[in-house]
Amino acid sequence: MKEPPSISDAEWLVMQVLWQHPESTAQEVIERLAQTVSWSPATIRTLLNRLLNKGALLYEKEGKAYRYRAAFTEEACRRSGGETFLARFFNGALSPMLAHFIRSRQLSDAELAELEALVREQRKKP
């Protein structure tokens, strides 16, 4: 299966709209993003075109408009981006990354419990 392309922070915001509202037109994406960012419609259209060129989006023509949808799930893009981040900043090593974030942030009891449960779950795997 094809891997998701690298997606910039701005492109990620566009993708989030399309993951939450599949089959959106450019105008619908623009209206939804206008609630959280101050980008011009032209900027958003440029981001949609970049995502199309990267293969991150699919589209169907509907009259004069195009309906866009994500070519990859949010989880697949998150996994791919996470692997890129891990390789870039921690030479692909998971343990130093986890240690860095655990030491640099104050974790709540709930977060610590979740991490402990994940470790227990991982130890049970063959």
Side-chain angles (χ1 to χ4, degrees):
M1 179 182 250
K2 190 175 174 185
E3 285 293 311
S6 177
I7 296 173
S8 72
D9 291 347
E11 292 166 344
W12 188 266
L13 293 177
V14 173
M15 292 297 291
Q16 284 183 317
V17 169
L18 290 164
W19 286 317
Q20 293 169 8
H21 306 280
E23 307 293 329
S24 292
T25 64
Q27 187 58 42
E28 290 167 340
V29 173
I30 289 165
E31 289 168 6
R32 288 186 175 107
L33 281 172
Q35 299 170 19
T36 57
V37 297
S38 59
W39 300 334
S40 73
T43 297
I44 296 169
R45 289 181 194 281
T46 297
L47 292 168
L48 286 166
N49 283 325
R50 282 186 194 166
L51 289 163
L52 273 171
N53 291 334
K54 289 181 175 187
L57 293 182
L58 303 170
Y59 72 92
E60 289 183 22
K61 189 162 174 64
E62 185 179 277
K64 292 183 179 183
Y66 293 91
R67 290 219 169 262
Y68 298 95
R69 69 179 186 281
F72 299 92
T73 65
E74 184 175 3
E75 180 57 33
C77 290
R78 184 176 287 124
R79 185 175 32 255
S80 178
E83 290 298 325
T84 301
F85 172 83
L86 191 62
R88 182 173 176 198
F89 293 104
F90 295 95
N91 295 321
L94 185 59
S95 182
M97 184 205 66
L98 290 172
H100 166 76
F101 286 110
I102 290 170
R103 289 183 180 125
S104 66
R105 302 184 104 178
Q106 183 66 38
L107 299 176
S108 69
D109 288 340
E111 290 170 321
L112 288 169
E114 183 178 0
L115 287 171
E116 289 168 347
L118 289 169
V119 169
R120 280 192 304 276
E121 180 182 309
Q122 191 66 28
R123 286 189 177 173
K124 290 180 183 177
K125 288 185 177 180

